[in-house]
Amino acid sequence: MNDRPKVMVTFGTRPEAIKMFPVVHALRADGRFDVKVAVTAQHRELLDQVLAIAEITPDIDLDLMQHGQSLDALASRILLCFGQVLADEKPDRVLVHGDTLTTMMVTLSCYFRKIPIGHVEAGLRSGDIYSPWPEEVNRRVTGTIADLHFAPTQTAADALLAENTSREDVFVTGNTVIDALLATKSKLKDDPALGHAIDTALADVGSKRLIAVTAHRRENFGEGMRNIAAALKTLASREDIAIVYPVHPNPNVAGVMTEQLGAVDNIRLIDPLDYPNFVRMMMRADIILTDSGGIQEEAPSLGKPVLVMRDTTERPEGIAAGTAVLVGADCDAIVEQASRLLDDPCSYAKVAQAHNPYGDGTAAQRIATIIGSRHRLT
Ligand code: UDP
């Protein structure tokens, strides 16, 4: 059994864990790999919520989160600590996801030891190194070093090919977030108790239309967050809607939102939800307002219109399909677009159709098969 290639799956944040748990499960189910999970825990509580739900116990947990640590402090700690993990474990391949500091520094650490990297959710590009910041550079550096690029869409694959990435190293797999979403929907169906934490908030919504909100992006800290709060306050003055907002614990978000919205009628600020409860809230929502990347991918699959509170997006497929509209962190644009959807049933019906530009729920299986071929496994 020990001659199976050792594949180490690494991640550090909630969205990475959501998108990597299907890969861990698919590699384990495949049986041809010795699978190890190593987490940096760049986020702690939010990561642990996902690990518990996905029933994954990391083999290695670097527990690197420190409140308020700078990007350079975190980057250097990941590089040094992960170097030791590689020296001890000697994996044959490491898988990273997306565009976090964990992604880039783990990749560099592997590069220094010539350990091949597979990049899940490869090829997303905004073209602007400061938006999203620092994610655009994190993923470009990772793309330069990886020898397997799992692109979620053809657009992402084309971006890699335009950067002269070898064609035989680029694979369109779909996004593993759709695997995670479909698996969680089906778990909720089998065991509705999983999604109970959101019950009280949804009971308060009653028959009102629900606007579900998340906002956490660094580019929106400060003025952007204040604009978003002002837009939510304006929308909340309508009697026919309720807003439920699981607030990200970052003080740049939680501080502003609690101060501006803590006592506003029709707005309910709640703690971050675990994934099944968040999926349940999205399923109940009429509109989703977010600056998140992953939620832009999940919303079309659930047939939910999503207003993207960012100036640019590296996920153009939802915009092209009409399910997503870019509104920036701009108070007037957010209110105008949300009101249009709420007041015009034709506009709403046009965009509220379930479709899956980001995948069909089998991305993780494809990734396991491709890794098997690359390591010449039969
Ligand atoms: N999410 C969650 N609970 C919440 C808010 C979001 O489980 O309270 C999930 C959401 O469904 C998506 C992921 O977290 O899969 C998005 O994470 P985030 O917005 O933090 O990061 P991004 O996608 O922007 O990298």
Side-chain angles (χ1 to χ4, degrees):
M1 289 298 262
N2 282 341
D3 55 357
R4 294 181 302 167
K6 189 187 271 192
V7 177
M8 181 172 280
V9 185
T10 63
F11 46 89
T13 64
R14 171 179 65 190
E16 288 172 290
I18 289 172
K19 291 171 167 181
M20 283 300 238
F21 85 70
V23 177
V24 173
H25 290 168
L27 289 170
R28 288 205 165 131
D30 181 293
R32 294 178 295 169
F33 309 102
D34 175 11
V35 183
K36 298 281 176 205
V37 175
V39 299
T40 60
Q42 177 183 339
H43 290 170
R44 183 74 270 174
E45 295 82 6
L46 299 185
L47 173 74
D48 289 344
Q49 278 184 344
V50 185
L51 291 173
I53 297 290
E55 297 174 47
I56 291 175
T57 307
D59 300 283
I60 293 132
D61 188 335
L62 295 176
D63 197 22
L64 290 180
M65 176 163 167
Q66 283 179 0
H67 285 285
Q69 69 185 329
S70 64
L71 293 175
D72 36 13
L74 175 61
S76 51
R77 292 171 72 227
I78 296 173
L79 188 63
L80 284 176
C81 294
F82 206 78
Q84 190 57 50
V85 171
L86 294 177
D88 295 343
E89 293 287 329
K90 301 182 178 51
D92 298 295
R93 168 166 298 281
V94 172
L95 298 183
V96 294
H97 182 277
D99 54 19
T100 65
L101 271 191
T102 292
T103 316
M104 178 170 75
M105 300 322 290
V106 164
T107 299
L108 274 177
S109 194
C110 289
Y111 172 65
F112 295 151
R113 287 162 187 80
K114 298 190 176 166
I115 296 171
I117 281 283
H119 188 196
V120 180
E121 198 181 82
L124 271 61
R125 297 289 183 270
S126 68
D128 177 350
I129 63 166
Y130 291 108
S131 179
W133 174 75
E135 287 84 356
E136 176 78 359
V137 164
N138 292 344
R139 59 198 178 204
R140 284 202 215 173
V141 170
T142 303
T144 303
I145 294 169
D147 76 326
L148 285 177
H149 306 260
F150 304 112
T153 63
Q154 188 59 49
T155 309
D158 290 344
L160 289 163
L161 297 175
E163 291 169 6
N164 293 326
T165 311
S166 299
R167 194 169 283 276
E168 61 270 22
D169 294 342
V170 177
F171 302 87
V172 179
T173 57
N175 197 312
T176 55
V177 78
I178 305 300
D179 303 30
L181 179 66
L182 298 183
T184 304
K185 270 177 80 176
S186 128
K187 260 188 162 181
L188 277 167
K189 212 166 165 194
D190 295 344
D191 180 7
L194 264 183
H196 267 342
I198 189 74
D199 275 356
T200 319
L202 293 185
D204 286 353
V205 173
S207 60
K208 290 183 177 185
R209 285 188 286 173
L210 172 61
I211 301 182
V213 181
T214 77
H216 73 293
R217 289 228 53 83
R218 215 179 249 108
E219 302 88 278
N220 284 337
F221 289 174
E223 195 188 344
M225 286 294 162
R226 286 192 293 279
N227 290 343
I228 290 169
L232 296 179
K233 223 184 234 180
T234 306
L235 289 167
S237 63
R238 294 175 59 128
E239 278 310 307
D240 60 335
I241 66 145
I243 294 173
V244 179
Y245 179 176
V247 180
H248 198 279
N250 187 307
N252 292 296
V253 182
V256 179
M257 295 305 167
T258 312
E259 184 192 303
Q260 300 288 318
L261 305 175
V264 177
D265 281 349
N266 292 335
I267 298 186
R268 203 175 168 117
L269 302 181
I270 58 175
D271 287 337
L273 293 165
D274 67 27
Y275 191 52
N277 279 282
F278 192 76
V279 169
R280 205 171 144 227
M281 182 176 77
M282 287 195 287
M283 289 165 71
R284 166 64 183 82
D286 293 272
I287 302 176
I288 299 172
L289 300 189
T290 191
D291 61 5
S292 152
I295 297 168
Q296 289 178 60
E297 295 152 350
E298 292 162 337
S301 177
L302 297 170
K304 304 295 175 180
V306 59
L307 300 185
V308 182
M309 299 186 291
R310 295 167 55 166
D311 295 331
T312 57
T313 181
E314 57 284 82
R315 294 168 172 87
E317 297 85 354
I319 308 277
T323 333
V325 179
L326 272 184
V327 288
D330 174 324
C331 177
D332 293 343
I334 295 167
V335 173
E336 187 189 317
Q337 292 294 336
S339 306
R340 181 179 62 83
L341 288 168
L342 291 165
D343 294 332
D344 177 358
C346 288
S347 292
Y348 188 88
K350 237 189 256 169
V351 295
Q353 280 167 25
H355 58 114
N356 279 314
Y358 297 107
D360 62 4
T362 59
Q365 183 54 57
R366 286 194 189 101
I367 289 168
T369 304
I370 294 160
I371 296 172
S373 306
R374 183 56 64 99
H375 287 265
R376 299 197 164 76
L377 303 177
T378 47

